[in-house]
Amino acid sequence: ASSAVELSQPDDDLLPGGIQGLQYPWIGDTDAVAYVASHRPPPDPYGETVLHLGEGRIIGGPAATTSFDRPDINGLEDIVAAGSNGLYLNNVNVYQHSGSTAAINDAGTIAFFSSNYGTTGIYTGDGLSTPTLYAAATGGTMMGHPDINNDGMIAYMDRASGVETVFVGPGHQRVLGATIQLFGSSVAETWFFR
């Protein structure tokens, strides 16, 4: 298991080799922490964006061309993260996503949003085989931000009747969205992010 890491945000005049711009921390069941940080290694003055597990570097690339969004980590300390040039499982580019976060469960099943495999929707895969459509989008590219549990059930955002709604399962079971009664009032707006 990874140990805790204490990092501070340095000044803007960071020396080459330093670290800054810590973003998107996510903790796994083993207390391992995944996060994204900016580095300034020589000789590239713009540095690079790096996906980390604890103090360890998973993968990185030039800051001008590479970014990573909200990594997720499972109980085996596998990390999945949407990058600007593909969806990564640890340090391997495994799938093409469509600009949304991804999630991974302890069985290694990845859930992600994509329009690159025929039907636009939420897909699942193991990083080795062709992904499988889990739920087709009803709201186009507004769908996304899936989270998968260890039973393989996925919660995600999509549109229903023109409003953002949280769904669970391949059959679009509506969980929360506009007009649903909650705490004695009608929900007016819903956004869903991990």
Side-chain angles (χ1 to χ4, degrees):
S2 298
S3 59
V5 178
E6 183 176 323
L7 299 169
S8 61
Q9 188 74 22
D11 296 329
D12 288 338
D13 59 347
L14 189 67
L15 296 173
I19 185 171
Q20 69 176 11
L22 301 173
Q23 302 178 70
Y24 313 128
W26 198 255
I27 190 166
D29 293 339
T30 63
D31 295 339
V33 176
Y35 60 95
V36 177
S38 297
H39 291 244
R40 288 196 185 167
D44 182 356
Y46 300 104
E48 65 178 339
T49 302
V50 178
L51 179 62
H52 285 268
L53 175 60
E55 295 181 21
R57 171 194 178 96
I58 299 298
I59 191 168
T65 59
T66 307
S67 64
F68 298 99
D69 193 15
R70 296 172 181 86
D72 190 21
I73 184 171
N74 68 10
L76 302 174
E77 297 186 10
D78 289 320
I79 296 176
V80 66
S84 55
N85 55 352
L87 186 68
Y88 286 86
L89 174 58
N90 299 317
N91 63 352
V92 178
N93 186 333
V94 293
Y95 295 123
Q96 293 301 309
H97 66 93
S98 294
S100 178
T101 57
I104 188 168
N105 66 12
D106 287 349
T109 303
I110 302 166
F112 64 102
F113 172 70
S114 185
S115 58
N116 298 306
Y117 297 97
T119 303
T120 298
I122 300 294
Y123 283 82
T124 60
D126 60 7
L128 301 172
S129 58
T130 302
T132 303
L133 180 66
Y134 180 83
T138 61
T141 58
M142 289 301 297
M143 184 182 218
H145 305 288
D147 196 14
I148 185 169
N149 69 13
N150 286 332
D151 292 328
M153 186 67 72
I154 301 174
Y156 52 93
M157 185 182 82
D158 201 356
R159 289 180 69 89
S161 303
V163 295
E164 287 71 25
T165 304
V166 177
F167 292 98
V168 172
H172 279 77
Q173 178 182 345
R174 188 175 181 192
V175 177
L176 185 63
T179 73
I180 288 179
Q181 294 294 308
L182 182 66
F183 307 121
S185 298
S186 183
V187 174
E189 184 177 34
T190 305
W191 286 93
F192 178 68
F193 298 97
R194 258 193 328 99

